Amino acid sequence: MKKHLLYLFLCCMLNGTVMAQLKLYGESYRPQFHFTPERNWMNDPNGLVYYKGQYHLFYQYNPFANVWGHMSWGHAVSKDLIHWKQLPVALEEENGIMIFSGSAVVDTKNSSGLGSVQNPPLVAIYTGSTDTLQTQNLAYSTDNGLQWAKYKSNPVLNENKKDFRDPNVFWYAPEKKWIMSLSYPTTHQIAFYSSVNLRDWKQVGIFGPAGDTTGVWECPDLMRVPIYDQPGSYKWVLLTSQNATMQYFVGNFDGKNFTSETPNGTTLKPDYGTDYYAAIAYHSNPIGKPVSIGWVNNWNYANQIPTYPWKGAASLPRTLQLKKINDVWQLIQQPVAALTTLRKQPVIYSNKKINKTTELLPFKGNVWESEIIMQPAATGETGLQLAVGNGLALDISYNAANKQLVVNRSNTPDYFSAAFAAKPISIAPVRLLNNEIKLQVFFDKSIVEVFVNNGEQVLTVQVFPAEENNGVAIYSTGENALFKRVTFWPMKSIW
């Protein structure tokens, strides 16, 4: 009898665990193919490093609540950049010192002396932050990133500054040394330091001010990016983040200084949406191109978004290449190919002509990928509506007069934040190719990512529709719009 009761008890416990887990990843607005922490707040991705068959994703994390605070490094790993396993917190706030953003490297030759040549350490380089001081510090792991120890002689770089942060480190092979990009936020500059051992650093160059100098500069990432359709050719790209947006510069790096080739007065953005920030990249990986991940949120309302028990998400991973368009080097960003493994059976609509009308399609859903190839009307706006229902919708359209791609969430719920409601429209400059435009749209409960013309431009926004607002429509305010092909793939959950 006791054995029978114990069996029933264990069954109830296991069923309860399963039910709790199902409920945990089934909340309203919970993305199903974007990484989110199981619980609590996340912001910037940190320490993106590939090691022994695994992609490590560290991220700014509050272990205690789903609002910003007590910054530590959360940790997850993946074999394909799509399916993630959450691990225990890697680096914890201690002694009033929060763990701000940074990077991680594989110290293959054990230059730091923190491991061995036979067992190279993973080394994290991060900002330790208090209300009055930011310094650069090390932590290391010799068990493939499962457990971390802070370097006993931290900090390794201290300039006695309140704002001095976000070290991003990579190996510079031509001179056999480590390079660190580091932000001077308030002067809109990125400083470059070099080291042979990850412990002793010397400043060798500085870049900026340049481009967008509103707000603060932070989260730099300097990397070598391949040129599209030119095997073996590369340029250098410097990413920076400022307030609630990002920019990048393209040019050359000589081991000391970065020289931008981006024309004066031109601001290039990796993402033109309202909700993409602090993106950095896996520099070295089996794909052979840098792969970036950003934070899907916006500092103007990040603490207020209506999600629980988590807050914040990682963007879809994007491969990075460069192409010269209108004599300007621009990033070409494409979602990683592994995302196609999540596709279910496609639903396809072909050769639909639209004249100053909106057509509701039979397809419904709020977890899907779509590809739209359309010839927009010569006037007005032509595009797609998603989250349609109860008189509401989010619009994604090409504006013929301004030659722009517009994402407009003004007709979606904005009840949780005046700041969210204040910026409903995202705009990117785009071009027609043979009178056509191609959109790749990912809709994942509360995240919309739009890739234009195979990644020439990208826009990421958040939206918080009711579950029943899951309709889809195509529309045009002009005449003779043609949707040559519209394909929807419902997507499997990664959880």
Side-chain angles (χ1 to χ4, degrees):
M1 181 67 178
K2 288 182 179 179
K3 287 184 178 179
H4 180 66
L5 290 173
L6 177 62
Y7 174 77
L8 288 175
F9 173 77
L10 289 173
C11 285
C12 289
M13 289 291 291
L14 287 171
N15 286 337
T17 300
V18 171
M19 289 302 292
Q21 197 75 3
L22 286 173
K23 184 179 180 181
L24 188 64
Y25 284 97
E27 306 95 339
S28 295
Y29 313 134
R30 171 80 83 166
Q32 295 300 296
F33 56 88
H34 288 74
F35 174 78
T36 51
E38 185 177 279
R39 290 182 171 86
N40 299 331
W41 166 279
M42 78 168 282
N43 57 287
D44 308 356
N46 298 150
L48 303 189
V49 65
Y50 178 81
Y51 187 52
K52 292 186 177 180
Q54 285 189 320
Y55 293 90
H56 291 262
L57 167 63
F58 302 93
Y59 50 92
Q60 293 285 278
Y61 184 60
N62 182 351
F64 306 110
N66 74 331
V67 292
W68 187 92
H70 299 288
M71 285 293 97
S72 303
W73 274 23
H75 190 192
V77 292
S78 174
K79 293 182 178 179
D80 63 359
L81 287 167
I82 303 302
H83 299 86
W84 296 95
K85 176 183 178 182
Q86 187 162 313
L87 297 177
V89 173
L91 302 178
E92 296 181 347
E93 172 196 35
E94 287 183 299
N95 303 319
I97 300 174
M98 288 196 281
I99 312 296
F100 270 26
S101 289
S103 54
V105 296
V106 182
D107 187 10
T108 305
K109 297 181 180 180
N110 192 36
S111 66
S112 64
L114 298 173
S116 66
V117 175
Q118 294 75 25
N119 184 27
L122 282 175
V123 179
I125 308 94
Y126 64 90
T127 296
S129 183
T130 70
D131 289 342
T132 58
L133 182 67
Q134 294 187 333
T135 62
Q136 315 320 315
N137 304 265
L138 302 183
Y140 60 97
S141 171
T142 55
D143 63 355
N144 302 329
L146 291 178
Q147 300 178 82
W148 291 81
K150 293 171 184 171
Y151 179 48
K152 63 182 180 181
S153 296
N154 280 333
V156 296
L157 185 56
N158 180 8
E159 295 187 358
N160 296 308
K161 295 180 184 296
K162 179 182 178 181
D163 291 296
F164 174 60
R165 59 179 176 267
D166 308 336
N168 198 296
V169 173
F170 66 93
W171 179 251
Y172 187 65
E175 297 182 12
K176 295 181 172 58
K177 63 183 181 182
W178 299 101
I179 295 292
M180 176 195 294
S181 307
L182 193 58
S183 178
Y184 290 157
T186 58
T187 59
H188 311 112
Q189 293 175 303
I190 304 301
F192 305 110
Y193 295 75
S194 71
S195 173
V196 295
N197 59 15
L198 291 169
R199 294 180 281 108
D200 302 298
W201 294 92
K202 176 184 177 182
Q203 186 172 326
V204 294
I206 199 161
F207 174 77
D212 183 355
T213 56
T214 57
V216 298
W217 277 21
E218 54 186 8
C219 303
D221 193 358
L222 176 66
M223 71 195 90
R224 202 174 70 150
V225 177
I227 296 175
Y228 186 83
D229 279 347
Q230 293 185 32
S233 297
Y234 300 83
K235 302 293 288 185
W236 288 83
V237 171
L238 175 63
L239 293 172
T240 70
S241 295
Q242 51 279 340
N243 286 12
T245 186
M246 292 188 66
Q247 66 181 334
Y248 67 91
F249 304 89
V250 183
N252 296 295
F253 180 70
D254 63 4
K256 296 180 177 63
N257 286 291
F258 173 77
T259 305
S260 175
E261 296 179 8
T262 300
N264 290 334
T266 299
T267 300
L268 299 172
K269 294 180 177 292
D271 197 294
Y272 285 83
T274 49
D275 297 286
Y276 187 82
Y277 195 72
I280 59 173
Y282 294 94
H283 290 203
S284 179
N285 60 74
I287 295 173
K289 309 180 188 83
V291 176
S292 68
I293 293 178
W295 174 47
V296 180
N297 215 330
N298 183 305
W299 283 120
N300 293 322
Y301 44 76
N303 274 311
Q304 286 79 46
I305 65 169
T307 64
Y308 186 84
W310 87 102
K311 198 171 263 95
S315 73
L316 296 178
R318 308 172 181 179
T319 61
L320 304 182
Q321 299 176 85
L322 287 166
K323 181 190 286 187
K324 189 166 269 191
I325 301 173
N326 298 325
D327 288 327
V328 177
W329 288 110
Q330 296 186 35
L331 277 177
I332 303 298
Q333 302 173 89
Q334 297 174 323
V336 292
L339 277 162
T340 60
T341 64
L342 300 180
R343 292 173 174 173
K344 298 180 182 180
Q345 284 295 111
V347 177
I348 301 171
Y349 304 97
S350 300
N351 295 318
K352 286 190 167 287
K353 294 182 179 179
I354 301 290
N355 285 290
K356 292 185 176 181
T357 190
T358 299
E359 180 178 338
L360 190 66
L361 300 176
F363 178 81
K364 292 180 181 292
N366 55 16
V367 182
W368 48 258
E369 175 192 351
S370 180
E371 182 183 271
I372 300 110
I373 300 173
M374 64 184 188
Q375 293 178 349
T379 61
E381 296 188 354
T382 302
L384 176 78
Q385 292 183 330
L386 56 82
V388 176
N390 298 314
L392 303 173
L394 179 138
D395 297 352
I396 302 168
S397 64
Y398 175 75
N399 183 296
N402 299 324
K403 296 181 172 58
Q404 295 172 332
L405 200 285
V406 181
V407 178
N408 186 346
R409 65 183 180 196
S410 61
N411 193 32
T412 64
D414 56 20
Y415 49 85
F416 69 92
S417 165
F420 183 85
K423 186 142 187 195
I425 297 175
S426 300
I427 297 171
V430 298
R431 59 178 183 160
L432 295 183
L433 303 174
N434 298 319
N435 202 38
E436 292 181 357
I437 191 167
K438 178 181 176 182
L439 304 178
Q440 187 176 12
V441 181
F442 293 88
F443 181 29
D444 192 6
K445 290 285 189 149
S446 56
I447 298 174
V448 179
E449 293 191 56
V450 183
F451 295 78
V452 186
N453 289 339
N454 298 311
E456 289 185 3
Q457 308 289 8
V458 191
L459 302 93
T460 301
V461 302
Q462 294 182 102
V463 63
F464 300 97
E467 288 284 332
E468 66 269 18
N469 293 5
N470 60 2
V472 178
I474 53 177
Y475 75 100
S476 181
T477 62
E479 295 182 341
N480 298 319
L482 174 62
F483 290 80
K484 295 179 69 174
R485 188 178 178 91
V486 179
T487 306
F488 293 96
W489 292 275
M491 299 286 268
K492 302 172 189 173
S493 175
I494 63 173
W495 305 116

